[in-house]
Amino acid sequence: MSRKPEPVQVIKQRRDAALSKLVAGVPYINYLGVSFDRRGDELTGVLAYDDKLIGNPMLPALHGGATAAFLEVTAIIELSWALIWDDVEKGGAPSEKVKLPKTIDFTVDYLRSGLPRDAYARARVNRSGRRYASVHVEAWQDNRNRLFASATGHFLMPSKDG
């Protein structure tokens, strides 16, 4: 006998709750003002503009460190989201404290000045194994085809057994 499928609202609520729990585990994400827009399994990082993010008030331009941090947290959350996706889809919830990947190296390409407005980023996992992952991230503001920064990072994946 087949089970009745879950209502779409229940699935969305479970996914949103899992993502909120994941993001809440990193206080720096909240400090930066980063949130994540979820569409199915696709995440878009959103860096809400704030005056504290300006590095050069003469231009004004987003601080390079804020830009790099935004790209790095987007990569880490994307990797972590991919790790917990199967459990969330099976109806489970992520454990109380999700272990996050650790950054091995992270290289940022600053393509143009970040303007004093909201920024968006998407990460693509190039490779993810049991121990190591490689991720590429792109950030834009008004036009998805006009990137202001991109990055490539390598991460040490958390062990599954504690």
Side-chain angles (χ1 to χ4, degrees):
M1 188 154 92
S2 64
R3 279 186 354 182
K4 185 178 176 187
E6 285 183 288
V8 173
Q9 292 83 351
V10 171
I11 295 169
K12 285 182 178 181
Q13 287 172 348
R14 185 173 61 241
R15 289 175 181 169
D16 289 342
L19 180 59
S20 293
K21 189 174 190 178
L22 183 62
V23 172
V26 185
Y28 190 58
I29 293 174
N30 185 47
Y31 172 76
L32 283 175
V34 176
S35 61
F36 290 87
D37 180 34
R38 184 194 58 75
R39 300 283 184 249
D41 69 337
E42 182 179 74
L43 298 178
T44 301
V46 181
L47 176 65
Y49 175 75
D50 190 320
D51 286 338
K52 72 182 176 193
L53 301 174
I54 294 296
N56 183 343
M58 299 305 285
L59 292 177
L62 291 179
H63 191 282
T67 298
F70 173 49
L71 292 170
E72 188 174 5
V73 298
T74 299
I76 289 170
I77 294 298
E78 178 67 36
L79 267 177
S80 301
W81 183 241
L83 282 175
I84 67 170
W85 177 259
D86 287 338
D87 290 340
V88 171
E89 288 306 288
K90 290 176 187 166
S95 62
E96 205 50 47
K97 181 75 171 138
V98 176
K99 288 187 175 181
L100 300 173
K102 304 264 188 278
T103 305
I104 296 170
D105 66 57
F106 200 74
T107 304
V108 179
D109 293 321
Y110 297 98
L111 306 172
R112 60 181 44 87
S113 293
L115 302 171
R117 56 184 65 132
D118 291 355
Y120 308 93
R122 279 208 191 118
R124 181 182 70 247
V125 178
N126 294 327
R127 179 195 185 285
S128 183
R130 285 191 326 252
R131 298 179 58 177
Y132 165 89
S134 174
V135 181
H136 181 75
V137 192
E138 297 179 335
W140 70 95
Q141 290 182 305
D142 297 326
N143 182 338
R144 175 76 172 91
N145 295 318
R146 194 168 152 79
L147 303 178
F148 77 95
S150 67
T152 300
H154 301 101
F155 299 87
L156 184 63
M157 300 303 286
S159 63
K160 299 244 189 244
D161 52 303

